[in-house]
Amino acid sequence: MSGHGVALRVIDCGKTFADGTRALAPVALEVGRGETAVLLGPSGCGKTTLLRIIAGLETPDPGGRVLFGDTDVTGVPIERRNVGMVFQSYALFPNMNVADNIGYGLKIRGVGEAERKTRVAALVALTGIEGLERRRVDQLSGGQRQRVALARAVVVQPSVLLLDEPLTALDAALRERLRGELNRLLRKLGITTIYVTHDQAEAMALGDRIVVMRKGEIAQIGTPRAVYFAPANKFVAEFVGAANLIEAACNGATLVLPGGTLPVANGAIHGQAIAMIRPEAIAIVPAESASLVGLVDSVSFLGDRQRVLISAAAAKVMTADVPNAIALAVGDRVGLAVEPAAIRLLPGDAT
Amino acid sequence: MRSGPPRAWAAGGAQSPMTKAAFIRICLLPLAVVVAAFFVLPMTRLVWIGASGRHGIAAYAAIVLEPRYAASLLDTVLLALATTVATLLIATVSGLFLQRRRFPGRALLVAMLTLPLAFPGVVIGFLIILLAGRQGLLGDITLALFGQKLVLAYSLAGLFLGYLYFSIPRVILTIMAAVEKLDPSLEEAARTLGAGSWAIHRDIILPALAPALIASGAIAFATAMGAFGTAFTLATDIDVLPMLIYTEFTLSANIATAAALSVGLGLVTWAILALARIYGGNTVAANG
Ligand SMILES: Nc1ncnc2c1ncn2[C@@H]1O[C@H](COP(=O)(O)OP(=O)(O)OP(=O)(O)O)[C@@H](O)[C@H]1O
Ligand SMILES: [Mg+2]
């Protein structure tokens, strides 16, 4: 039952609500067949709005178009778009048991009882909720509800699967486990998937591509690696993972900082620049042999690593994640080393 | 407020088992008084009076054995049932529409619909006479159209109209409140699964409204069973049970029969409501 997805294209879809709220500037998005795209962005940036436009629950402003494969579905009502949707609240039908919830889409499509049973059973097994078929949905745990909602959405073999923050309602440990399960399931089903989240770790883990959104616009589209290592601007750099954003003068080959210099590899410029350095790219070395030195401000032991705040190296306090074995004390004078390739110069705008 | 003195909290916590039990007992006191004063004592007395007439306990048997009483009881139950069903149908459709659609004049319409809430039964009876009485609008129209005057006001149909008029506003308000509380994502989920409007109403909306329908239907039914003002104004040709009780009580001074009929009215209403509750509860449980 894999590979029944279609490619998805969103062309110039903006959304201005009746009350004048401009939730989405006209955006364009292409998602390949079977691909998982994650919409990532802070609260209120228009993720749900874009998802609902794709689903057919909202109509885009005039000029916007949504294409499933080669079919323009902009004017097609949701009940005939063949999308599967998982809502943040799961929206399970309280008057039906688990099996009836999962089988509802098949029943509406007039699938016979026998086939319905086999297909529901297959999804029950796939999502690991055997034994709960006769349960009422209000007697399920959060994780079980999430699975039922997913099973209900995919049993009809949708062209596109849409998930709106499906894990947000769960506690951290469960979220991590289900994230792994969900990832395996999406690969196995091979459905074209749009996944909305504001959790960047979730986006990294699940997305073939990440669509970073901000104030109703798309800030960057790229693979998790591209978005992480080569953010398009300051916003993306800060939103996806932790980042040191250092304003410094660049003389073509090195960054000149209060505590010394750092060599830059690619894209070096002459003049003021904003350099992005991920905390884990900074290594602590003996001060004598380093081109850049600073003072240890604080050390937090995080178990697998320690997070060190370093002052006096740059204009702002820098954050470094270093191996947990290195002995450091507040006030230590340390040298900082960064691979030139790990320094990324960003355009100054889009703060 | 939140940062109240911690010592007071600690002290309260230590005493709480005692205090709590005493508190609950104090809270139960008004309920006990009300139950005793308005329920147990008068009801016992009513039941006793019912059996104190010339025929003793047989007065109760007369409710079903005496054709006049039995017919009146049947009429009353049927009328109340018809009123309830019609009210629920009309109020559900209109309540859904009123809560879901925004149109000019909507607020005014809702306000107008709830106006009859304030009217006593007599006024409603009067309105029905104006509508369908001998000099009524309906009569004038039918006279002009068919050359014959249609007069409904003093028949079962007139009572039915009056009761409808009485119960629709109440039920509409309950339904509108219930519709407002419906979770829109449930309908959206059903739509993504391919359900059209009809299927959504059948599978999602009506099951979700069932508790409100049962509760407001029960109230409409009980009100129709016991309605007196409207019946008093309109029921010249028919004997609904409350009217019968009134005539037995005031005109015939047949107090024992009046009491027996009252007890009967209460029991029948209570039994039908209990049935509805059990059946309604079962359907919800069976679906769930
Ligand atoms: N029906 C509506 N009418 C008016 N404004 C709306 C409506 N729905 C959403 N908005 C506004 O549009 C903007 C984008 O909303 P949207 O729900 O798409 O954000 P989001 O990215 O999903 O946020 P979150 O992560 O909090 O769910 C918000 O400012 C919101 O207030
Ligand atoms: Mg949202």
Side-chain angles (χ1 to χ4, degrees), chain A residues 95-117:
Chain A
N95 53 319
M96 303 179 198
N97 65 23
V98 167
D100 291 342
N101 260 280
I102 299 176
Y104 186 71
L106 298 174
K107 197 171 149 199
I108 287 292
R109 283 165 170 74
V111 175
E113 175 126 27
E115 191 191 341
R116 207 157 75 212
K117 266 204 170 125

Side-chain angles (χ1 to χ4, degrees), chain A residues 15-24 41-52 58 88 164-165 196-198 213 216:
Chain A
K15 181 71 190 177
T16 310
F17 283 105
D19 64 357
T21 312
R22 187 178 164 95
L24 204 61
S43 188
C45 70
K47 305 181 295 289
T48 299
T49 305
L50 180 52
L51 195 77
R52 289 171 64 86
E58 305 280 1
Q88 184 168 349
D164 194 353
E165 312 212 18
V196 165
T197 181
H198 59 252
M213 295 183 61

